[in-house]
Amino acid sequence: MFFGSDNTSPVHPKIMQALAKANEGYVSSYGADPIMEQVRDQVRNLFQAPDAAVYLVATGSAANALALATYCPPWGAVYCHKSSHIEVDECGAPEFYAGGAKLITIDGDHGKMRPEDLRKALEPLAHGDVHTVQPGIVSITNVTEMGTVYAPDEIAALCAIARDFGIPCHMDGARFANALQATGATPAKMTWKSGIDILSFGGTKNGLMAVEAVVIFDPAKAWEFELRRKRGGHLFSKHRYLSAQMNAYLQDELWLALAQHSNAMGSKLSKKISALADSTILHPTDANVVFANLPRAVHRKAQDAGAVYSLVPFYASLDGPGGELLPARLVCSWSTTDEDIDQLIDTFKI
Amino acid sequence: MFFGSDNTSPVHPKIMQALAKANEGYVSSYGADPIMEQVRDQVRNLFQAPDAAVYLVATGSAANALALATYCPPWGAVYCHKSSHIEVDECGAPEFYAGGAKLITIDGDHGKMRPEDLRKALEPLAHGDVHTVQPGIVSITNVTEMGTVYAPDEIAALCAIARDFGIPCHMDGARFANALQATGATPAKMTWKSGIDILSFGGTKNGLMAVEAVVIFDPAKAWEFELRRKRGGHLFSKHRYLSAQMNAYLQDELWLALAQHSNAMGSKLSKKISALADSTILHPTDANVVFANLPRAVHRKAQDAGAVYSLVPFYASLDGPGGELLPARLVCSWSTTDEDIDQLIDTFKI
Amino acid sequence: MFFGSDNTSPVHPKIMQALAKANEGYVSSYGADPIMEQVRDQVRNLFQAPDAAVYLVATGSAANALALATYCPPWGAVYCHKSSHIEVDECGAPEFYAGGAKLITIDGDHGKMRPEDLRKALEPLAHGDVHTVQPGIVSITNVTEMGTVYAPDEIAALCAIARDFGIPCHMDGARFANALQATGATPAKMTWKSGIDILSFGGTKNGLMAVEAVVIFDPAKAWEFELRRKRGGHLFSKHRYLSAQMNAYLQDELWLALAQHSNAMGSKLSKKISALADSTILHPTDANVVFANLPRAVHRKAQDAGAVYSLVPFYASLDGPGGELLPARLVCSWSTTDEDIDQLIDTFKI
Amino acid sequence: MFFGSDNTSPVHPKIMQALAKANEGYVSSYGADPIMEQVRDQVRNLFQAPDAAVYLVATGSAANALALATYCPPWGAVYCHKSSHIEVDECGAPEFYAGGAKLITIDGDHGKMRPEDLRKALEPLAHGDVHTVQPGIVSITNVTEMGTVYAPDEIAALCAIARDFGIPCHMDGARFANALQATGATPAKMTWKSGIDILSFGGTKNGLMAVEAVVIFDPAKAWEFELRRKRGGHLFSKHRYLSAQMNAYLQDELWLALAQHSNAMGSKLSKKISALADSTILHPTDANVVFANLPRAVHRKAQDAGAVYSLVPFYASLDGPGGELLPARLVCSWSTTDEDIDQLIDTFKI
């Protein structure tokens, strides 16, 4: 009963096979491996973006921070949701990589920014006044931190506002496959066709060992990104092992199948929880992440039974302050089974 | 005939097995995996340093830059050899991570700093004058970039000078195992017993996929290092796969056996080249990296035969400027075979 | 009728005389001038802080950013009011100097943080979790940006919370003299006796040409501050001219007399505005800065008559959106006269 | 007998008068003062550069660091002479402002870079290799730190090489007026006509209180410079007092007259020293800075008589190591008199 995070799950067997297959002979290092050429083509085809620059790094924080720094100057503001990973969970990596940029957060139900709130946040800095930081970039997380998903038209609405203010848009797609599966959108529609300039295209949470792609739709920024990646210590010497993972991930739509599964598990879990007495779902379960309010006694029983998941906030305690109901975050992954869910739901029943 | 770099070689089979073995079930992320506890113990035992803090990252540049930044303030000077990786090959990663520190280079034969030159370099900044950067840290590369090795007493002599000026010492041990094998020194003797405060303990070049440990002998610096690692985007979520590599690397002295082999290959290659007419070895071949001066015609013949290695500097060309002899760097790895060497030497014969 | 800012006012004649007097012969540069020795003693006596380190810089942004960077690590959070100068008006100088620190803002009526809100803001980061930035420093602005003043016990309440979380406190005292005059507190009581660790002690807004002192109550941080000042380009070669200004400012309580005058002018202006029909004062006028809601027609008449002051926000326009009443900020200075106020009030009458 | 530095000299009376004259009434702050408009025109006319952007800061380190950061990316290399102020005397300000750039130093007689050495230094990084920092900017100091002066054709030769490698050129003109007087060149010829992109145009050392202009010949970089200046804490609120100094400095060629005088004093001092027995001039005295080798006994006699100047290096001591002759740096300023020199030379005679 492991619902702590999709990053506690193992690596998919096909990825392990791809690593084994890549482990033969000598191969040029630092991204000059032949598999990376394939990956570049795969990603470009997938996104209908023949000129896109494609790079691999090993962590989501690296992908996000490098992407933001490439597009946002040190005196720029990064506009993002209050709950976003770049604001809350990266120990200031975006500020570090962007040379001291400022994150300006926007609240909004269920982890989503509303266009009007984004506009309102942008206005105070849009006057070319040297005393303030300048509008820098908008960063949109999809799947959001609350497990909800922006549809392409919602992305487009946010990007249109960014364009009004002359700034680019980043997507933190740590769970990009899940967002696609949830909406049925194409990768192109979810990104550049809606106005996204640069994408953190996650893999680790969805069955890889440690690979995220960064897709830059305007290749003019590619060289700067490469320098920033190297300078950040994120260019792998034995790069073929990153390439091999992403290569296998994109083959035969494995990535989409895995996301489809984890979304289905999320949906099932959500429905079963909402059917429980005294329990409520806190945000629409659009993908694989479920937020639910459960009675303390239920939490205690589940914990005693060995269920692993986080209270919200992560530092909350069953004996700590709060009401009778305590919110929890439960994450399904590519490896979550129907049995896992049934077993968890059983422990939730009192 | 692949002698381009030890990082073009594959991953050792035992490491692949360890990865496969680690790939079961759910495991806590971000370094809280049980294998990491073993690794911590392994490293502490190895270094006879029961209090040492041990961390894993995936690249040597990350290990070095994080280590230096943890010990050197933004206004500090990093003293290193002119040819050192941190000066030449990391696109300014140390400067980036240390908030704008200055690298001060020291020349010296065969990639080694001489104590008197280090002292001479330290003196101008040792006056507490606010107009200059301040002495920050000494960084010693072992194996050096020229393939030579510092013996423990040479390390101790450099560290003693650093101590005279009140600053700490870092070792870039991207090829640490090779340095140990070359000298017969214990890990403790090569590091903290000789005055090293923090070590980049390489694994990738010696058979791992992508893991370097950072060993901090004074645990007071551990928390700062953890924050810098996270902030740099170098804390892996599925950390168990880093742990598993290092765990297997240190088991049954695999790491030493691999280095012993690559050193032996280096030695053999060096001897065979020096026996060739018109060719000379440029630096003592203490480990697995060979520098040799070879006639242009020899290079051309070898290239035509498919031999892969670098000219020095890397951007030199067989048709470019220079004398009749052109220097080359040839690197052996854990997977280099006697046959590889024999074959290369054959192509070198005209 | 100049009420745009206290920094549009001229330099007090006594300061000009001091500059002229200092302009004789050769004097050691970079802070080694004899007048600086006097200034150091003056400030230490004033603050009953015989060990305090005292430095001069030329701008408030430099004072604040250097002070914050000296006490807050790159991965630290700076807690401040949403309207504070460091958040809104310094183009990210604190983030730049502190190597990418994050400002976390706290709202609160009339420009003041409430202790319970500060505590609530600190809690989420106080768990030693490596994924988040860490509690860094609390920065308190006195006089606040809304023209209100914290009394020493209010300062002490905020500092006590900071101490609970193990972090230091900074005071942005760009209008420090005005805050003292408003409360009758001693400099010591307003600062270190209430828990302030480092103070930006303003002079420019109160009659100087361009000098702010930074007072560090724990001299252990002095050398780091000096290096940061130099490295920031803020160490003056002809430093005697900074010293001379501060020396004259503190002599015979000139600084307090000037603040007393500007506070009295602020008070008078506030009272006269509140007596006008249709106009209201928006924040308590504790010092020399007045916020008032005035009818558009009144603004227009005043503007036509040549009155200079800012609408709020500064980019608002008489023809822009908003209600019938538009808020304005009116600042009195040491050189504001009774006649200036009477004349302005006349233009405000319709 | 004050020959320690031109920044120990006082402010010229005409500058003090200009400050007094500027000290009337209310004036817009932060560079929007009318005098700054005049200064902009003065500088543009002087440099025959009608589109140049012109900014004022208060220190030479600020001018240099902001200028370099505006043109050199964080992963760029700044090429400069080994003795240059930016390398030796600014506590890493360029590295700080440029986000961790690397200074690459070039040796050369008498403080000058030779074109062939610059070319040789540029070559290793000119290969678009992601592992190294990239060619960033060339910085030329005129007057050099050794008191010599580059003629315009020497500047042009260096800038031509920079152009060959696709990078811009900065001039550190802390003693720009002295360089012009020494060569008879026009400001335009010394800068943009020879290939300089951005100039630190010094005033402080030549009679001002604390003002340096930065002249950017391509106005496309102006806004970025403004943001960097503000963010660095170098935008003055009471900016009129910077403007007034530069305005008076440029009026009626005061700046050139002052430099002519200090150069003449330098020349006189140099000749008189070279006529002394046992003394030698170490570098051509092209401007106002004299380097001489003098016997220890002479130094001692001069010191006892109260002469103030620096030994080289600054931390050398009359009782310290070295030969019988010890080098010294003696700087003349706008206020040095014939009598000062005669008196110094008298103390030098044994």
Side-chain angles (χ1 to χ4, degrees):
Chain A
M1 295 184 291
F2 292 87
F3 295 86
S5 173
D6 26 17
N7 61 36
T8 64
S9 65
V11 176
H12 191 272
K14 288 197 180 163
I15 304 302
M16 295 304 287
Q17 289 160 22
L19 286 171
K21 192 180 157 202
N23 195 39
E24 277 174 30
Y26 294 82
V27 172
S28 289
S29 46
Y30 297 117
D33 53 288
I35 315 180
M36 186 59 205
E37 290 194 38
Q38 291 179 41
V39 169
R40 208 174 286 119
D41 286 343
Q42 287 173 299
V43 173
R44 286 171 173 171
N45 287 338
L46 206 57
F47 283 86
Q48 304 164 253
D51 297 327
V54 182
Y55 299 106
L56 303 182
V57 294
T59 73
S61 292
N64 287 338
L66 289 168
L68 293 171
T70 299
Y71 272 97
C72 182
W75 49 85
V78 178
Y79 295 84
C80 60
H81 192 274
K82 200 179 171 178
S83 69
S84 61
H85 203 267
I86 58 171
E87 166 69 8
V88 177
D89 291 313
E90 301 185 353
C91 196
E95 289 92 337
F96 171 47
Y97 275 87
K102 181 188 281 290
L103 272 63
I104 292 185
T105 61
I106 295 160
D107 211 346
D109 290 347
H110 307 312
K112 288 190 188 178
M113 293 186 280
R114 293 185 312 165
E116 57 267 37
D117 291 337
L118 175 60
R119 184 178 294 279
K120 210 170 140 189
L122 274 157
E123 273 165 357
L125 303 185
H127 300 272
D129 176 52
V130 82
H131 294 82
T132 66
V133 295
Q134 306 296 307
I137 191 167
V138 172
S139 180
I140 302 166
T141 310
N142 209 15
V143 177
T144 75
E145 295 298 324
M146 302 296 117
T148 55
V149 174
Y150 290 100
D153 63 326
E154 293 177 296
I155 302 293
L158 293 169
C159 293
I161 291 168
R163 285 296 175 281
D164 286 351
F165 288 86
I167 61 171
C169 286
H170 164 250
M171 180 173 282
D172 177 356
R175 297 187 179 93
F176 187 68
N178 301 80
L180 287 187
Q181 286 303 95
T183 57
T186 64
K189 186 69 185 164
M190 187 62 95
T191 56
W192 66 270
K193 286 189 175 174
S194 296
I196 297 295
D197 296 278
I198 188 164
L199 167 70
S200 301
F201 177 23
T204 311
K205 284 182 158 69
N206 193 31
L208 299 190
M209 188 180 280
V211 182
E212 317 278 307
V214 175
V215 188
I216 313 177
F217 296 104
D218 174 3
K221 286 288 192 180
W223 178 232
E224 176 173 337
F225 185 89
E226 285 199 48
L227 290 161
R228 288 187 181 276
R229 178 177 59 165
K230 173 66 193 173
R231 185 171 173 77
H234 290 291
L235 176 57
F236 275 50
S237 57
K238 295 184 172 175
H239 187 279
R240 58 170 132 170
Y241 302 100
L242 297 185
S243 307
Q245 293 180 61
M246 185 53 73
N247 180 238
Y249 184 60
L250 298 180
Q251 225 143 37
D252 302 329
E253 305 204 328
L254 173 63
W255 66 300
L256 292 174
L258 297 179
Q260 188 169 32
H261 176 81
S262 57
N263 279 7
M265 292 296 104
S267 178
K268 177 176 172 174
L269 177 60
S270 183
K271 278 172 197 152
K272 294 219 167 192
I273 289 176
S274 62
L276 295 172
D278 300 329
S279 296
T280 52
I281 295 298
L282 294 166
H283 306 295
T285 305
D286 292 345
N288 63 323
V289 186
V290 180
F291 284 82
N293 242 346
L294 298 166
R296 283 178 193 253
V298 167
H299 285 304
R300 207 173 307 268
K301 179 159 172 277
Q303 272 192 5
D304 290 346
V308 175
Y309 58 83
S310 302
L311 296 181
V312 178
F314 75 91
Y315 52 84
S317 147
L318 286 188
D319 305 314
E324 184 47 32
L325 294 173
L326 288 184
R329 188 186 80 144
L330 303 119
V331 189
C332 297
S333 81
W334 70 269
S335 64
T336 303
T337 62
D338 282 307
E339 294 69 39
D340 292 335
I341 290 176
D342 293 342
Q343 198 185 349
L344 179 68
I345 292 294
D346 275 352
T347 73
F348 280 171
K349 288 178 181 157
I350 297 196
Chain B
M1 293 184 294
F2 292 87
F3 295 86
S5 173
D6 25 17
N7 61 35
T8 64
S9 65
V11 176
H12 191 273
K14 288 197 181 162
I15 304 302
M16 295 304 286
Q17 289 160 22
L19 286 171
K21 192 179 156 202
N23 195 37
E24 278 173 30
Y26 294 82
V27 171
S28 289
S29 45
Y30 296 117
D33 54 288
I35 315 179
M36 186 59 204
E37 290 194 38
Q38 292 179 41
V39 169
R40 208 174 287 119
D41 287 343
Q42 286 172 299
V43 172
R44 285 171 174 172
N45 287 338
L46 205 58
F47 283 86
Q48 305 164 254
D51 296 326
V54 183
Y55 298 106
L56 303 182
V57 294
T59 74
S61 292
N64 287 338
L66 288 168
L68 293 170
T70 300
Y71 271 98
C72 181
W75 48 86
V78 179
Y79 295 84
C80 60
H81 192 273
K82 200 179 173 179
S83 69
S84 61
H85 203 266
I86 57 172
E87 166 70 7
V88 176
D89 291 314
E90 301 186 353
C91 195
E95 289 92 337
F96 171 47
Y97 275 87
K102 181 188 281 290
L103 272 62
I104 293 185
T105 61
I106 295 160
D107 211 345
D109 290 347
H110 306 311
K112 289 190 188 177
M113 293 186 279
R114 293 186 311 166
E116 57 268 36
D117 291 337
L118 175 60
R119 184 178 292 279
K120 210 170 142 189
L122 274 157
E123 273 165 357
L125 302 185
H127 300 272
D129 175 53
V130 82
H131 295 82
T132 66
V133 295
Q134 305 297 308
I137 192 167
V138 172
S139 180
I140 302 166
T141 310
N142 209 15
V143 178
T144 75
E145 295 298 323
M146 301 297 118
T148 55
V149 173
Y150 289 101
D153 62 326
E154 292 177 296
I155 302 293
L158 294 169
C159 292
I161 291 166
R163 284 296 174 281
D164 285 351
F165 287 87
I167 61 171
C169 286
H170 164 251
M171 180 173 283
D172 176 357
R175 297 186 178 94
F176 187 68
N178 300 81
L180 287 187
Q181 285 303 96
T183 57
T186 65
K189 186 69 186 164
M190 186 62 94
T191 56
W192 66 269
K193 285 188 175 175
S194 295
I196 296 294
D197 296 278
I198 188 165
L199 167 70
S200 301
F201 177 23
T204 311
K205 284 181 157 71
N206 193 31
L208 299 190
M209 187 179 281
V211 182
E212 317 278 308
V214 175
V215 188
I216 314 178
F217 297 104
D218 174 2
K221 286 287 192 180
W223 179 232
E224 176 173 337
F225 185 90
E226 286 199 46
L227 289 161
R228 289 187 180 275
R229 178 177 59 164
K230 173 66 194 174
R231 185 172 173 78
H234 289 291
L235 177 58
F236 274 51
S237 57
K238 294 185 173 175
H239 186 279
R240 58 169 133 169
Y241 301 100
L242 298 185
S243 308
Q245 292 180 62
M246 185 52 73
N247 180 239
Y249 185 61
L250 298 181
Q251 226 143 38
D252 303 328
E253 304 204 328
L254 173 62
W255 66 301
L256 292 173
L258 297 178
Q260 189 169 30
H261 175 81
S262 58
N263 279 7
M265 292 296 104
S267 178
K268 177 175 174 175
L269 177 59
S270 184
K271 277 173 197 153
K272 295 218 166 191
I273 290 176
S274 62
L276 295 173
D278 300 329
S279 296
T280 54
I281 294 299
L282 293 166
H283 306 294
T285 305
D286 292 344
N288 63 320
V289 186
V290 180
F291 283 84
N293 241 346
L294 298 165
R296 283 177 194 255
V298 166
H299 285 303
R300 207 172 308 270
K301 177 159 172 279
Q303 271 192 6
D304 291 346
V308 176
Y309 58 83
S310 302
L311 296 180
V312 177
F314 74 91
Y315 52 85
S317 147
L318 286 187
D319 304 313
E324 184 46 31
L325 294 172
L326 288 184
R329 187 186 82 143
L330 303 119
V331 190
C332 299
S333 81
W334 71 268
S335 63
T336 304
T337 62
D338 282 308
E339 293 68 39
D340 292 337
I341 290 175
D342 294 342
Q343 197 185 350
L344 180 68
I345 292 295
D346 275 351
T347 72
F348 279 172
K349 288 178 180 157
I350 298 197
Chain C
M1 293 184 291
F2 292 87
F3 295 87
S5 172
D6 26 17
N7 62 35
T8 63
S9 66
V11 176
H12 191 272
K14 287 196 180 165
I15 304 303
M16 294 304 286
Q17 289 161 21
L19 285 171
K21 194 181 155 199
N23 195 39
E24 276 174 31
Y26 294 82
V27 171
S28 289
S29 45
Y30 295 118
D33 54 286
I35 315 179
M36 186 59 204
E37 291 194 37
Q38 291 178 42
V39 168
R40 208 174 287 118
D41 287 344
Q42 286 172 300
V43 172
R44 287 171 172 170
N45 287 337
L46 206 57
F47 283 85
Q48 305 164 253
D51 297 325
V54 182
Y55 298 106
L56 303 182
V57 294
T59 73
S61 291
N64 287 338
L66 288 167
L68 293 170
T70 300
Y71 271 97
C72 182
W75 49 85
V78 178
Y79 295 85
C80 60
H81 191 273
K82 201 179 172 178
S83 69
S84 62
H85 203 266
I86 57 172
E87 166 69 8
V88 178
D89 292 313
E90 301 186 352
C91 196
E95 288 92 339
F96 171 48
Y97 275 88
K102 181 187 280 291
L103 272 62
I104 292 185
T105 61
I106 295 159
D107 211 345
D109 290 346
H110 307 311
K112 289 190 188 177
M113 293 186 281
R114 292 185 314 165
E116 57 267 37
D117 292 337
L118 175 59
R119 183 177 295 279
K120 210 170 141 189
L122 274 157
E123 273 164 359
L125 303 185
H127 300 272
D129 175 52
V130 81
H131 294 82
T132 66
V133 295
Q134 306 297 307
I137 192 168
V138 173
S139 180
I140 303 166
T141 310
N142 211 15
V143 177
T144 75
E145 294 298 323
M146 302 296 117
T148 56
V149 173
Y150 289 101
D153 62 326
E154 292 177 295
I155 302 294
L158 293 169
C159 292
I161 291 167
R163 285 296 174 280
D164 285 351
F165 288 87
I167 61 172
C169 286
H170 164 250
M171 180 173 284
D172 176 357
R175 295 187 180 95
F176 187 68
N178 300 81
L180 288 187
Q181 285 303 96
T183 57
T186 64
K189 186 70 185 164
M190 187 63 94
T191 56
W192 65 269
K193 286 188 175 175
S194 296
I196 296 296
D197 295 279
I198 189 165
L199 168 70
S200 301
F201 177 21
T204 311
K205 284 183 158 69
N206 193 31
L208 299 189
M209 187 179 282
V211 182
E212 316 278 307
V214 174
V215 187
I216 312 177
F217 296 105
D218 175 2
K221 286 287 192 180
W223 179 231
E224 176 173 338
F225 186 90
E226 285 198 48
L227 289 161
R228 289 188 180 274
R229 178 178 60 165
K230 173 67 193 173
R231 185 169 171 79
H234 289 291
L235 176 57
F236 275 52
S237 56
K238 294 184 172 175
H239 186 279
R240 59 169 133 170
Y241 301 100
L242 297 185
S243 307
Q245 292 179 62
M246 186 52 75
N247 180 240
Y249 185 60
L250 298 180
Q251 225 144 38
D252 303 329
E253 305 202 330
L254 173 63
W255 66 300
L256 292 173
L258 297 179
Q260 188 170 32
H261 175 80
S262 58
N263 278 7
M265 291 296 103
S267 177
K268 178 175 173 175
L269 177 59
S270 184
K271 278 173 196 154
K272 293 217 168 193
I273 290 176
S274 62
L276 294 173
D278 299 327
S279 296
T280 53
I281 295 299
L282 292 167
H283 305 294
T285 307
D286 292 345
N288 63 321
V289 186
V290 181
F291 283 84
N293 242 346
L294 297 165
R296 282 178 193 254
V298 165
H299 284 304
R300 206 172 309 269
K301 179 159 171 276
Q303 272 192 3
D304 291 347
V308 176
Y309 58 84
S310 303
L311 295 181
V312 177
F314 75 91
Y315 52 84
S317 146
L318 286 188
D319 304 313
E324 184 46 33
L325 293 171
L326 288 183
R329 188 186 80 145
L330 303 119
V331 190
C332 298
S333 80
W334 71 268
S335 64
T336 303
T337 63
D338 281 307
E339 293 69 40
D340 292 334
I341 290 175
D342 293 342
Q343 198 185 350
L344 178 69
I345 292 295
D346 274 352
T347 73
F348 280 173
K349 289 179 181 158
I350 297 197
Chain D
M1 294 185 292
F2 292 87
F3 295 86
S5 171
D6 26 16
N7 61 36
T8 64
S9 67
V11 177
H12 191 272
K14 287 195 181 165
I15 303 303
M16 295 303 287
Q17 289 161 22
L19 285 171
K21 193 180 156 200
N23 194 39
E24 277 173 30
Y26 295 82
V27 171
S28 288
S29 44
Y30 295 118
D33 53 286
I35 315 178
M36 186 59 205
E37 291 194 36
Q38 291 179 42
V39 168
R40 210 174 284 118
D41 287 344
Q42 286 173 300
V43 172
R44 287 171 172 171
N45 287 337
L46 205 57
F47 283 85
Q48 304 164 254
D51 296 325
V54 183
Y55 298 107
L56 303 182
V57 294
T59 73
S61 292
N64 287 338
L66 289 167
L68 293 170
T70 300
Y71 271 97
C72 181
W75 48 84
V78 179
Y79 295 84
C80 60
H81 192 273
K82 200 180 173 178
S83 69
S84 62
H85 203 267
I86 58 172
E87 165 70 7
V88 177
D89 291 313
E90 301 186 353
C91 195
E95 288 92 338
F96 171 48
Y97 274 88
K102 181 188 281 291
L103 272 63
I104 292 184
T105 61
I106 295 159
D107 210 347
D109 290 346
H110 307 312
K112 289 190 188 178
M113 292 186 282
R114 292 186 312 166
E116 58 266 38
D117 292 337
L118 175 60
R119 183 177 295 278
K120 210 169 141 189
L122 274 157
E123 273 164 358
L125 302 185
H127 300 271
D129 175 52
V130 82
H131 294 83
T132 66
V133 294
Q134 305 297 307
I137 192 167
V138 172
S139 180
I140 302 166
T141 310
N142 210 15
V143 176
T144 75
E145 294 298 323
M146 302 296 117
T148 56
V149 173
Y150 289 101
D153 62 327
E154 293 177 295
I155 302 292
L158 293 169
C159 292
I161 291 168
R163 284 297 174 279
D164 285 351
F165 287 88
I167 61 171
C169 287
H170 164 249
M171 180 173 284
D172 177 357
R175 295 187 179 95
F176 186 68
N178 300 80
L180 288 187
Q181 285 303 97
T183 56
T186 65
K189 186 70 185 162
M190 185 63 94
T191 57
W192 66 268
K193 286 188 175 174
S194 296
I196 297 294
D197 295 279
I198 188 165
L199 167 70
S200 301
F201 177 21
T204 311
K205 284 182 157 71
N206 193 30
L208 299 190
M209 188 180 281
V211 182
E212 316 279 306
V214 175
V215 187
I216 313 177
F217 296 105
D218 174 2
K221 285 287 193 181
W223 179 232
E224 176 173 336
F225 185 90
E226 286 199 48
L227 289 162
R228 289 188 181 275
R229 178 178 59 165
K230 173 66 194 174
R231 185 172 173 77
H234 289 290
L235 176 57
F236 274 51
S237 56
K238 295 184 171 174
H239 186 279
R240 59 169 132 170
Y241 301 100
L242 298 185
S243 308
Q245 291 179 62
M246 186 53 74
N247 180 241
Y249 184 60
L250 298 180
Q251 225 144 38
D252 302 328
E253 305 203 329
L254 173 62
W255 66 300
L256 292 173
L258 296 179
Q260 188 170 31
H261 175 81
S262 57
N263 278 7
M265 291 296 103
S267 178
K268 177 175 173 176
L269 177 59
S270 184
K271 279 173 195 153
K272 294 219 166 191
I273 289 177
S274 62
L276 294 173
D278 301 327
S279 297
T280 52
I281 294 299
L282 293 166
H283 306 295
T285 305
D286 291 345
N288 63 320
V289 186
V290 181
F291 283 83
N293 242 346
L294 298 165
R296 282 177 194 254
V298 166
H299 284 305
R300 207 173 308 270
K301 178 157 173 276
Q303 271 192 6
D304 291 347
V308 176
Y309 58 83
S310 302
L311 295 181
V312 178
F314 75 91
Y315 52 84
S317 146
L318 286 188
D319 305 314
E324 183 47 32
L325 293 172
L326 288 183
R329 187 185 82 143
L330 302 119
V331 189
C332 297
S333 80
W334 71 269
S335 64
T336 303
T337 62
D338 283 307
E339 293 69 40
D340 292 335
I341 289 175
D342 294 341
Q343 198 185 350
L344 179 68
I345 292 296
D346 275 352
T347 72
F348 280 172
K349 289 177 180 158
I350 297 197

